[in-house]
Amino acid sequence: MPGRRKASRRVALCVGVAMSCISPAVAAAQEAPRRLPLPDPQPADVQEPAGVQEPAEVQEPAEVQGPVLAVPPAMGTNEVEWWKEQVGAAVLEQAAPIPLDLDTLLVDTLLHSPRVLAVGMDAQVALAEVVVADAAFDPLALVESRAGRTSDPVGNTLITGGPPRSREASWNNQFGVRKLTRSGGQWSASQQLGLLDSNSVFFTPENQGNARLSLSLSQPLLAGAGRLYNERLLLQARIESDAAWHQMQSQVQEQIANVMISYWKVYELRCRLLQQRDLLERGLRIERIVAGRGNFDTGPVEMLRAREHVARRRDRLIRAEADLRNEQTLLARWVGSPALSAVASQELIPQVAREWIQEPIDLRAALATGLEHRPEIHLAAAQLEEARLQVAVTRNQLKPQLDALLETYLAGLNGNRDAFGSMIDQFTEGEPGFAAGVQMELPVGRRAAQAKHRAARSQMFRETEALREAILDSRAEIETAVREVSVSIAESAARYRTAEAARAEEEYLQRRWELIAGDGGPAGLVLQDLLDSQSRRTDAEEMLVAARVGYRVALVRLQTAMGTLLTSERIEPVQDAAALGVRYHRHDPPAERSISEKTILE
């Protein structure tokens, strides 16, 4: 006990001597908040402890041209989310600031993104296939003209009536129309006009002009009959076009989601850069104080410890700035706009509101919306519809091939090459001729048709299970997304309290360290606690921003899971068969705001 009292008296004596060396201005500053002021630069006769480098002198920066970087706030501020005031200003050196709002980025993405433009072309190609399949039922115009001369030896005088060779000269012209009906029938109508002459003595009248009007019809009665069977290619093309449309919406929605998530990631990394810069500034402030107190109550251990933390924070600041620049490059890549091609020398500044409103999501409503709008469900349903079509087609092919045939015609004949007179006579002289019949074809056993029908039924069962799986996947993804939204709301509140407590802890340890003296004793431990608390505070601030941004990202992923991201952002794709690609309309904001407008900072 006597030894302890002697040690206490020695410490008190040292403290008294040190306090007597402090200027009156410092003593006056200690009377109120009891905090040591930042010391002046060390006098020339003060020697640094062995093994400790003197910190670099802080010089006033020269005036530079370009954006003014945001400066972290002083310790005395009471606002936890202090970076909101500065994140809208320039934070990068030697970079031209470019303010960006989310609406402009989305419009640029729809206009310039290679992926968006490519998938739009895929949808147009599928739509063109629908036109091709439907054009199979368009009527065909037929025109044929042929002239010829024959010279054949004859072995029968009854052919020519005497001349040894049969010589004929002809010129035949035919025009008409042929059409495939949607029920499977095929009809054709044609008019033939011709000239014919021969050296046969039996050929009369000479220099004939002939005409013939024909009409024919072929109609399947069993296999191949019916509108469904004959429009199968058209129906399949429509189903594939619908699937390509939903696939296009899914990929465009994914691209829009990537842009929005990267946009908020840039905002988060800008906040992190400010926080790391503030952490470094607070470390430098501690380092300057330790260097100034080296003549009084701190030693080389505290100085080395402060410099170690400052060096580590410089390293984290370099990494934070690199991450921000990398994310800017990624955002420019998602957008694909030529205006962002020089992003290496630019600074993208998201225009974000300073308040964030967080609202919970109703799970039942989200599930109902997702089942109605999710592109993957529509795509699986389209594939199931195509499989059902194949079952109906193969069922039709199980029937025998039975066709009804009908043909009728009118004909006229005149001499003196009067073909047009013959065309008139075909309606006024004589009567029409006709022919009717049926044609049947049935493979023995019908094994090929039965195998195709079994395969089609198996494919339909497979697509049914695929649709069921798509519904289950969508449900699970929507439930997870809704849960992530709720979790991000709770995390934001919890991390705000954590950041608030970390800030209060740092301020308490700051005041405690400023009032405690000693070399390697309690002051050294408190200094270590203070430096650690500064890092914990910055970590808590980073986690708070991550939770804030995570809420917006969770909302984007929820809208993507429900398939309503384009609708929520007022984007409407429009398909035009005559246009090249897909056009996108962006409507004025309705009363119900989109994600980018509704979820503003709390």
Side-chain angles (χ1 to χ4, degrees):
M1 292 299 292
R4 290 184 180 180
R5 285 194 295 269
K6 292 181 181 179
S8 299
R9 284 194 295 269
R10 285 195 299 269
V11 170
L13 179 59
C14 293
V15 170
V17 172
M19 292 296 293
S20 63
C21 297
I22 301 176
S23 65
V26 175
Q30 287 179 340
E31 291 178 358
R34 303 291 297 169
R35 300 175 63 169
L36 291 178
L38 292 177
D40 296 330
Q42 293 185 3
D45 57 347
V46 177
Q47 299 295 327
E48 190 71 27
V52 179
Q53 297 290 334
E54 182 177 356
E57 181 179 356
V58 179
Q59 298 180 354
E60 289 295 328
E63 182 178 358
V64 296
Q65 300 295 330
V68 180
L69 301 183
V71 180
M75 273 290 299
T77 179
N78 293 324
E79 186 180 2
V80 176
E81 298 178 88
W82 52 267
W83 54 87
K84 291 183 186 178
E85 301 288 343
Q86 307 170 30
V87 72
V91 298
L92 295 178
E93 297 179 352
Q94 299 178 352
I98 300 180
L100 287 179
D101 62 276
L102 190 55
D103 288 347
T104 302
L105 279 183
L106 296 185
V107 172
D108 287 346
T109 303
L110 297 175
L111 292 177
H112 302 292
S113 173
R115 184 180 182 186
V116 172
L117 298 178
V119 298
M121 293 299 177
D122 292 341
Q124 286 300 98
V125 170
L127 181 61
E129 293 298 326
V130 176
V131 179
V132 171
D134 190 61
F137 301 102
D138 293 344
L140 299 177
L142 307 175
V143 178
E144 181 181 2
S145 180
R146 178 181 297 179
R149 179 183 177 88
T150 63
S151 177
D152 300 321
V154 297
N156 189 344
T157 58
L158 296 178
I159 296 177
T160 61
R165 298 185 71 88
S166 174
R167 293 181 175 88
E168 291 185 355
S170 62
W171 182 24
N172 292 319
N173 300 279
Q174 184 177 0
F175 58 91
V177 62
R178 183 172 66 231
K179 179 176 174 58
L180 178 66
T181 66
R182 296 182 184 269
S183 60
Q186 180 176 340
W187 61 267
S188 63
S190 63
Q191 176 67 59
Q192 180 265 330
L193 295 174
L195 300 177
L196 181 62
D197 192 16
S198 175
N199 67 340
S200 174
V201 297
F202 304 112
F203 187 78
T204 181
E206 296 180 355
N207 298 321
Q208 294 177 1
N210 53 71
R212 184 183 182 92
L213 176 63
S214 302
L215 179 64
S216 63
L217 174 64
S218 174
Q219 175 63 50
L221 301 178
L222 294 177
R227 191 181 183 98
L228 176 65
Y229 179 84
N230 289 279
E231 290 186 342
R232 64 190 184 279
L233 297 180
L234 175 60
L235 295 176
Q236 182 175 356
R238 286 176 176 171
I239 293 173
E240 291 177 353
S241 177
D242 185 63
W245 180 255
H246 290 294
Q247 183 71 19
M248 180 274 298
Q249 286 185 317
S250 177
Q251 296 188 25
V252 171
Q253 185 173 250
E254 182 181 351
Q255 187 74 1
I256 292 296
N258 289 335
V259 171
M260 297 179 70
I261 292 174
S262 182
Y263 177 84
W264 297 121
K265 188 66 176 178
V266 168
Y267 172 82
E268 178 185 353
L269 292 176
R270 288 176 61 84
C271 295
R272 181 179 300 176
L273 180 61
L274 287 173
Q275 292 161 350
Q276 290 297 327
R277 190 170 290 164
D278 176 56
L279 177 63
L280 176 60
E281 179 63 29
R282 285 179 280 142
L284 290 174
R285 188 180 298 118
I286 294 296
E287 184 182 13
R288 288 193 295 268
I289 295 176
V290 170
R293 291 171 59 168
N295 298 323
F296 305 108
D297 53 10
T298 58
V301 176
E302 286 78 9
M303 192 64 203
L304 291 174
R305 187 173 297 157
R307 288 182 174 176
E308 175 191 358
H309 280 264
V310 168
R312 190 180 300 121
R313 292 172 187 182
R314 290 186 189 276
D315 178 67
R316 293 179 62 179
L317 180 60
I318 294 173
R319 182 73 264 173
E321 181 174 347
D323 290 343
L324 175 57
R325 293 185 182 274
N326 292 341
E327 191 62 34
Q328 288 187 161
T329 302
L330 182 60
L331 177 58
R333 175 252 181 274
W334 291 127
V335 176
S337 174
L340 301 179
S341 58
V343 70
S345 60
Q346 298 171 350
E347 178 181 356
L348 307 182
I349 304 178
Q351 301 300 297
V352 179
R354 291 175 52 193
E355 297 183 355
W356 240 331
I357 298 174
Q358 298 178 339
E359 300 177 356
I361 304 297
D362 181 66
L363 176 59
R364 182 172 299 180
L367 289 174
T369 303
L371 293 178
E372 181 180 358
H373 295 95
R374 187 174 172 93
E376 287 78 4
I377 295 180
H378 287 282
L379 182 60
Q383 292 174 347
L384 175 58
E385 187 67 21
E386 185 176 357
R388 290 178 58 192
L389 175 62
Q390 292 302 320
V391 170
V393 169
T394 56
R395 185 185 296 114
N396 181 277
Q397 292 175 342
L398 290 174
K399 302 175 183 179
Q401 183 74 35
L402 180 63
D403 298 338
L405 305 175
L406 177 64
E407 182 178 358
T408 183
Y409 67 93
L410 296 172
L413 179 63
N414 283 295
N416 299 322
R417 299 184 178 89
D418 189 10
F420 291 100
S422 299
M423 185 175 65
I424 297 175
D425 291 345
Q426 69 185 359
F427 296 103
T428 59
E429 296 183 5
E431 62 279 337
F434 69 91
V438 294
Q439 182 180 4
M440 181 176 178
E441 180 180 329
L442 178 64
V444 178
R446 296 179 295 179
R447 293 192 302 161
Q450 291 176 357
K452 291 180 180 179
H453 185 61
R454 289 194 299 269
R457 289 176 60 87
S458 299
Q459 182 68 17
M460 184 180 68
F461 177 78
R462 177 184 179 277
E463 297 300 338
T464 302
E465 295 304 315
L467 175 60
R468 180 169 169 266
E469 182 181 9
I471 293 175
L472 292 177
D473 290 343
S474 301
R475 181 184 179 90
E477 189 172 343
I478 293 172
E479 288 183 359
T480 302
V482 171
R483 193 174 298 114
E484 288 297 324
V485 172
S486 302
V487 168
S488 63
I489 295 175
E491 283 182 340
S492 295
R495 292 181 181 181
Y496 184 88
R497 291 191 293 268
T498 302
E500 193 174 27
R503 187 183 186 89
E505 179 192 17
E506 180 188 351
E507 291 178 352
Y508 169 76
L509 292 175
Q510 177 83 22
R511 289 192 299 269
R512 183 183 178 190
W513 175 71
E514 290 174 351
L515 298 175
I516 293 181
D519 182 11
L525 298 178
V526 173
L527 175 61
Q528 181 63 44
D529 291 342
L530 174 58
L531 294 173
D532 292 341
S533 70
Q534 288 181 342
S535 299
R536 287 194 298 271
R537 171 194 160 185
T538 301
D539 292 341
E541 291 174 346
E542 291 181 355
M543 294 177 65
L544 175 58
V545 174
R548 299 294 201 201
V549 173
Y551 173 71
R552 290 199 173 187
V553 172
L555 279 177
V556 172
R557 288 175 176 163
L558 173 60
Q559 294 286 5
T560 304
M562 294 190 300
T564 57
L565 183 59
L566 298 183
T567 303
S568 67
E569 294 301 322
R570 312 183 308 279
I571 298 173
E572 180 187 4
V574 179
Q575 193 172 24
D576 186 359
L580 182 62
V582 177
R583 294 179 290 109
Y584 298 92
H585 291 166
R586 200 149 195 268
H587 303 286
D588 294 334
E592 180 66 20
R593 293 168 297 179
S594 64
I595 288 178
S596 59
E597 299 168 338
K598 185 176 181 180
T599 56
I600 51 179
L601 293 179
E602 180 183 15

